[in-house]
Amino acid sequence: MPSSLSAPGERLRALWRRLSGLPFGKTVFSLFVGRMAPYSGTLGARVQELEPGWCRVTLRDRRRVRNHLASVHAMALANLAEMASGLAVLVSLPPGVQGIVTGFSISYQKKARGLLTAECRVAGLEVTAEREYEAGVTVSDAQGDVVATATARWRLRPIPRR
């Protein structure tokens, strides 16, 4: 029997449905995601929208995520993009399918300042055998200018029976 950690999509979907409409529910959900993936939790990003096929995550510009040029650090942007990709892909996978990032690339268009939003849309995640999937992410600032684009390469596969 697969564990919920190897295929967390249904658990994430159920928790989002339960919490997202409550006061501070999106914050509580985001903290839960940070407990599931402790490294991502250090970023302090907040999930704003989540449904199969789409995720929107925001990051406040604050000192702890800045670089020496007083803009959001490149790796904070990469972490934000990977988080959006991970949530969009994982909540889209059917039960019994797992995924892991096997590659990641990011391009930076301009200095990132202010509230940042990462969005990822995915489709076609039918998985009957191991396969690769690329999920594109766009990171924009509060003015709607794209500050970075990223691609996360995922290896998707049915969970092996034990």
Side-chain angles (χ1 to χ4, degrees):
M1 183 71 161
S3 77
S4 62
L5 292 179
S6 63
E10 183 54 40
R11 183 175 174 197
L12 287 168
R13 285 189 298 270
L15 192 62
W16 177 257
R17 281 190 302 265
R18 199 162 80 220
L19 294 175
S20 63
L22 299 175
F24 304 104
K26 292 177 181 179
T27 298
V28 172
F29 178 84
S30 299
L31 293 171
F32 173 79
V33 169
R35 289 202 37 99
M36 281 182 67
Y39 178 76
S40 293
T42 65
L43 189 61
R46 294 294 179 252
V47 180
Q48 301 298 327
E49 300 293 332
L50 182 62
E51 60 187 57
W54 184 58
C55 180
R56 185 166 50 92
V57 182
T58 59
L59 177 66
R60 289 184 307 110
D61 181 349
R62 58 199 192 288
R63 186 177 190 290
R64 73 182 305 174
V65 297
R66 285 191 155 213
N67 60 23
H68 65 288
L69 299 174
S71 60
V72 176
H73 195 283
M75 290 302 104
L77 290 171
N79 194 347
L80 180 67
E82 194 276 337
M83 183 178 180
S85 163
L87 288 167
V89 168
L90 292 175
V91 301
S92 300
L93 292 176
V97 175
Q98 65 185 13
I100 189 166
V101 174
T102 59
F104 186 84
S105 65
I106 188 164
S107 296
Y108 305 99
Q109 276 75 42
K110 65 178 275 192
K111 287 183 181 177
R113 293 190 171 117
L115 182 69
L116 302 173
T117 302
E119 294 183 289
C120 181
R121 292 190 183 277
V122 298
L125 291 173
E126 297 77 26
V127 179
T128 57
E130 187 170 309
R131 65 176 278 215
E132 299 289 316
Y133 182 84
E134 290 192 349
V137 182
T138 302
V139 182
S140 303
D141 62 18
Q143 292 73 39
D145 294 335
V146 174
V147 299
T149 56
T151 302
R153 188 174 57 252
W154 286 80
R155 177 168 296 128
L156 307 175
R157 70 178 188 161
I159 297 172
R161 298 210 178 261
R162 301 197 188 261

